[in-house]
Amino acid sequence: MARTVEFFFDPVCPFCWQTSKWFRQVSRLTDVEPVWRFISLAILNEDPDDADATNDSHAAGTALLRVAAAAQEAHGPEVVGRLYEEMGLRLWEDAPEIDSPPEGDERWVVMGKHRQSVVDDLPAILEAADLPVSLAAAQHHERFDAELRASTDEAMERTGGDVGTPILSFDPPDGPAFFGPVISATPTDDQAVELYEAVDTLARWPSFAEFKRSLREPIDNALFATLMPPE
């Protein structure tokens, strides 16, 4: 019997993308039935003292999530996963052509320009996901923010808050949910299943809450390899 696992994502989170690649492996190799849900880093990082405060990354995430919400509304939840994949491939597995790796804060400038180019390329992303290019206009429509906020609030209610992306929710809506796993590299198929089994075991343990370390390998995607190559 398939087990439903909901994956809450924001396209502009690089670690969320790495975990989503693993999660797709798991859904291909096991009986896990993935359901792709929204979580907005812009909403999670709202400043109550400055309602208009934002940054370029959060603005791009909002634009992409609005389009995903519009696609879900018009064509059903089953299209969200493939649309997120097309967004993620362009955000993280494509990289701008540069003569040499930028240094210091210039890295974030280049990354910001790349991120905006992906938002600007939404019609091509939608076409690749076999969806109407007209949905790109939803990036400007605030009416989809209510859905983004409701989904984000639901994710926080399930985890208890004070977490980020990604969030996995097992046997929703009443099963366990938690932030992570946060991984840098894409595992082999055998490793992917082994990691999932470990995560699933922890999820089933009612008193388990946290397992964390700060050390991590470099993020394994084309954008980071181009902008921040290992020394």
Side-chain angles (χ1 to χ4, degrees), residues 154-166:
E154 187 175 353
M156 292 299 100
E157 289 171 2
R158 294 187 192 178
T159 59
D162 194 27
V163 294
T165 59

Side-chain angles (χ1 to χ4, degrees), residues 8-9 28-29 32 51 54 73-74 85 90 93 103 113 134 142 152 168 199 202 206:
F8 289 81
F9 71 91
R28 175 171 55 83
L29 296 166
V32 167
T54 187
E73 179 183 84
E85 184 172 25
R90 286 161 176 77
E93 306 303 336
E103 297 182 356
K113 291 179 179 177
S134 59
E142 294 183 1
T152 300
L168 268 65
V199 169
L202 291 174

Side-chain angles (χ1 to χ4, degrees), residues 10-12 55-65 91 115-116 119:
D10 187 317
V12 296
N55 62 42
D56 292 343
S57 175
H58 291 162
T62 297
L64 295 171
L65 284 171
L91 279 166
R115 189 168 48 233
Q116 184 57 48
V119 175

Side-chain angles (χ1 to χ4, degrees), residues 120-154:
D120 293 341
D121 204 32
L122 269 166
I125 292 172
L126 287 159
E127 186 175 23
D130 197 27
L131 290 166
V133 299
S134 59
L135 289 170
Q139 65 181 289
H140 306 296
H141 297 168
E142 294 183 1
R143 76 175 185 86
F144 294 106
D145 293 354
E147 166 63 18
L148 303 184
R149 186 172 296 277
S151 187
T152 300
D153 289 346
E154 187 175 353

Side-chain angles (χ1 to χ4, degrees), residues 1-227:
M1 180 178 176
R3 185 179 193 192
T4 299
V5 180
E6 293 185 343
F7 188 110
F8 289 81
F9 71 91
D10 187 317
V12 296
C13 176
F15 287 104
C16 189
W17 172 247
Q18 292 302 117
T19 303
S20 77
K21 292 194 290 184
W22 160 75
F23 188 60
R24 292 180 192 278
Q25 286 176 279
V26 170
S27 66
R28 175 171 55 83
L29 296 166
T30 70
D31 61 353
V32 167
E33 184 69 33
V35 178
W36 301 91
R37 299 286 307 276
F38 312 128
I39 183 170
S40 168
L41 289 173
I43 291 173
L44 288 180
N45 291 280
E46 283 177 330
D47 183 350
D49 297 322
D50 186 358
D52 295 325
T54 187
N55 62 42
D56 292 343
S57 175
H58 291 162
T62 297
L64 295 171
L65 284 171
R66 284 173 176 171
V67 172
Q72 176 178 267
E73 179 183 84
H75 301 280
E78 62 274 9
V79 306
V80 175
R82 71 174 187 259
L83 179 55
Y84 173 35
E85 184 172 25
E86 292 295 338
M87 291 174 174
L89 287 171
R90 286 161 176 77
L91 279 166
W92 307 114
E93 306 303 336
D94 285 344
E97 294 184 4
I98 54 177
D99 295 331
S100 61
E103 297 182 356
D105 290 344
E106 183 62 23
R107 294 170 173 174
W108 308 114
V109 173
V110 174
M111 189 176 293
K113 291 179 179 177
H114 170 71
R115 189 168 48 233
Q116 184 57 48
S117 74
V118 173
V119 175
D120 293 341
D121 204 32
L122 269 166
I125 292 172
L126 287 159
E127 186 175 23
D130 197 27
L131 290 166
V133 299
S134 59
L135 289 170
Q139 65 181 289
H140 306 296
H141 297 168
E142 294 183 1
R143 76 175 185 86
F144 294 106
D145 293 354
E147 166 63 18
L148 303 184
R149 186 172 296 277
S151 187
T152 300
D153 289 346
E154 187 175 353
M156 292 299 100
E157 289 171 2
R158 294 187 192 178
T159 59
D162 194 27
V163 294
T165 59
I167 286 175
L168 268 65
S169 181
F170 294 80
D171 304 321
D174 300 319
F178 55 82
F179 166 52
V182 177
I183 59 176
S184 299
T186 304
T188 65
D189 284 353
D190 288 345
Q191 291 172 333
V193 174
E194 184 178 0
L195 174 59
Y196 175 76
E197 291 173 346
V199 169
D200 183 66
T201 297
L202 291 174
R204 293 175 184 271
W205 191 257
S207 63
F208 174 74
E210 187 172 7
F211 196 70
K212 182 177 181 179
R213 62 183 173 187
S214 297
L215 295 174
R216 57 177 58 133
E217 297 176 351
I219 298 180
D220 177 23
N221 65 44
L223 182 62
F224 275 71
T226 299
L227 301 186

